[in-house]
Amino acid sequence: MYVSARTDYAVRAMLAVAASGQRLVKAAELAAAQEIPLSFLQGILLDLRRVGLLHSHRGVDGGYVLARPASEITIGDIVRAVGGALATVRGLPITTTSYHGAATGLRDVWLAVEEAIEGVVDHTTLAALELGERA
C-alpha cells in the first residue's frame, strides 16, 4: 500500500478535528498544527466533507467538525475518501487482474494483501488512535 501525502494529510487533519471534540476547527488552524500546506489541505477538507466525514460551517466563527463520532470513522473511510482503492495493481482494481502460466496464483496473493490492509484500516477508528490503540 502506498500512502500518498494527500492520504497522510487527510488522516492527520481528521485526527486533529477529532481531538478538538465538538469545537469547530478552522482550516488554517489545522494546517498550522499539522504542518500541511493550507491550499492543499482545503481540497482535502472539501473531499472529506463531500463524502460525509466532516461538516463545515461558514462565517467568522465557522470551521470543521466530525460528521460522525470518532468511534465510527475508520482510517479506511478516510483513505478511500481521498485516495480511492486501498490496493491496486498497476493502478487498476485487483479484481480485474488475471495471470497465466507460472503467475496464475499471483492474483490470490494481491487479494490477500488487499484483505490484510482492509483488516487494519477498516478496524482502526479515529477514537482508537486518540487512545493510542492499534488494530
Side-chain angles (χ1 to χ4, degrees), residues 47-78:
D47 287 344
L48 294 169
R49 187 180 60 79
R50 281 186 185 147
V51 299
L53 296 177
L54 287 177
H55 285 303
S56 65
H57 300 274
R58 294 181 182 247
V60 175
D61 295 326
Y64 293 88
V65 67
L66 296 180
R68 302 190 313 251
S71 60
E72 295 178 14
I73 299 175
T74 68
I75 301 306
D77 294 332
I78 301 165

Side-chain angles (χ1 to χ4, degrees), residues 72-121:
E72 295 178 14
I73 299 175
T74 68
I75 301 306
D77 294 332
I78 301 165
V79 171
R80 287 181 187 94
V82 299
L86 295 176
T88 61
V89 174
R90 293 172 280 145
L92 299 171
I94 293 172
T95 55
T96 66
T97 61
S98 64
Y99 298 95
H100 308 285
T104 300
L106 190 53
R107 180 175 188 263
D108 292 335
V109 172
W110 298 147
L111 289 170
V113 167
E114 181 177 46
E115 188 176 297
I117 293 168
E118 288 173 347
V120 174
V121 299

